Amino acid sequence: MKKIALVTGATSGIGKATAIMLAGCGFNLIITGRREERLAELKSQLEIKYKAEALPLCFDIRNRNEVCNTVNNLPEQWKNIDVLVNNAGLAVGLNHIQDGLFDDWERMIDTNIRGLLYITRCVAPLMIKNRRGHIINICSVAGKDVYEKGNVYCATKYAVDALSKAMRIDMLKHGIKVTNVCPGAVETEFSIVRFKDDTAQAKATYAGMTPLTGDDIAGVIKFAISLPPHVCINDIVVTPASQANALIIDRN
Ligand code: NDP
Ligand code: 8X3
């Protein structure tokens, strides 16, 4: 029987690349996001190209009732989740703290922290029941160092970093691995979202450098999940070769 992975935020970027990688590795996929058409397209791609079964779940991860009702009512054949990739997330705005917008802050906190917690709270008991599983939390270099104007986004990723450590302790006796993945600059829709559809500003984020791609991060996740049962990668920081950390990028 094929293993099952649940990837949040599979409609774009890192999540989509990860879902495709996992299908290529022989997993059946539960894919989530708010954009229903994209989920449907990805489902067809996974089924036709990779012969994987795919279950699209369309919800806003900030909506606790929607998340819990959906995951708690999964069809029986989808309940044995082996890998959970907590990927859905975003940055909105880039402002000094005194200029920040409450709506931006709440979107980031509700998505990156609360959403991740809602999903994990619903999926972890299913893994515990099976005494196996691997939770991959997509954190960021922004969860390791803070940078100017990054304030609230960085705070949400510091929270993810802390939650990965906490989950690893709580899951230890249940045989469930927890891996924190901290990417640097990855060219996805991330900057388009951060800069609220200002595509020129989004593009400038990656000027003079070769950013990572979603596939690069999927490759790192593939490595983490393919290690033997007694080996757990706790924390991976992965940046473009021209990026030292969240603060320092060599642009030429
Ligand atoms: P994208 O914008 O390309 O993808 C974000 C994904 O998150 C989409 O599938 C989106 O789906 C989903 N998402 C966002 N908000 C919600 C919501 N409220 N409910 C459900 N799903 C939601 O960005 P990335 O692929 O780059 O980002 C993925 C993760 O990687 C994020 O956690 C981000 O913080 C992290 N990261 C990104 C880096 C980068 O440089 N790109 C670097 C380090 C970390 P939909 O819109 O359909 O709901
Ligand atoms: C995304 C990377 O450096 O823009 O998490 O915060 S950064």
Side-chain angles (χ1 to χ4, degrees):
M1 212 160 68
K2 283 191 167 197
K3 287 187 171 182
I4 296 172
L6 189 162
V7 180
T8 68
T11 56
S12 168
I14 295 170
K16 183 176 179 183
T18 301
I20 291 169
M21 175 279 291
L22 288 164
C25 291
F27 281 78
N28 286 334
L29 265 305
I30 303 173
I31 47 176
T32 87
R34 289 165 301 180
R35 287 171 285 183
E36 202 162 13
E37 280 170 27
R38 288 201 185 190
L39 288 174
E41 271 169 39
L42 181 59
K43 174 181 159 70
S44 313
Q45 187 181 350
L46 299 178
E47 288 175 346
I48 294 165
K49 199 162 168 196
Y50 298 97
K51 310 288 173 233
E53 284 178 41
L55 177 68
L57 301 178
C58 188
F59 54 69
D60 187 323
I61 205 160
R62 294 170 293 180
N63 184 324
R64 184 185 355 149
N65 288 338
E66 237 185 304
V67 172
C68 295
N69 287 338
T70 310
V71 178
N72 292 339
N73 289 302
L74 279 174
E76 216 42 55
Q77 70 270 28
W78 286 100
K79 282 190 172 160
N80 294 323
I81 296 168
D82 296 281
V83 173
L84 166 64
V85 184
N86 277 320
N87 163 76
L90 76 182
V92 204
L94 189 68
N95 296 299
H96 289 123
I97 199 92
Q98 67 275 18
D99 302 321
L101 302 179
F102 291 133
D103 281 351
D104 292 351
W105 292 358
E106 284 164 12
R107 272 181 74 191
M108 290 187 276
I109 292 165
D110 291 352
T111 310
N112 300 357
I113 307 176
R114 287 178 195 258
L116 179 145
L117 285 170
Y118 298 154
I119 281 278
T120 305
R121 177 64 184 84
C122 296
V123 172
L126 302 175
M127 290 181 164
I128 288 171
K129 206 166 148 216
N130 291 334
R131 280 207 58 77
R132 66 162 200 275
H134 196 157
I135 299 173
I136 311 275
N137 290 330
I138 305 300
C139 184
S140 170
V141 289
K144 301 292 185 185
D145 288 301
V146 290
Y147 53 87
E148 188 179 6
K149 301 182 180 176
N151 41 63
V152 175
Y153 178 66
C154 293
T156 66
K157 292 299 182 176
Y158 269 69
V160 173
D161 194 68
L163 285 169
S164 292
K165 289 179 183 144
M167 284 181 199
R168 196 170 308 108
I169 297 167
D170 295 348
M171 293 296 113
L172 205 58
K173 60 169 124 10
H174 301 291
I176 294 161
K177 299 183 191 181
V178 179
T179 298
N180 197 51
V181 177
C182 300
V186 190
E187 191 163 11
T188 59
E189 292 175 12
F190 177 85
S191 293
I192 296 168
V193 173
R194 165 170 262 177
F195 296 116
K196 302 176 182 177
D197 292 328
D198 181 337
T199 45
Q201 211 180 351
K203 200 77 200 156
T205 307
Y206 312 106
M209 69 183 299
T210 305
L212 300 172
T213 64
D215 288 336
D216 293 326
I217 305 306
V220 166
I221 294 170
K222 182 175 179 178
F223 170 66
I225 62 166
S226 58
L227 291 166
H230 68 288
V231 183
C232 178
I233 297 276
N234 291 357
D235 203 6
I236 305 181
V237 179
V238 50
T239 64
S242 57
Q243 179 175 23
N245 53 38
L247 296 148
I248 300 171
I249 295 176
D250 178 46
R251 299 179 194 270
N252 48 46

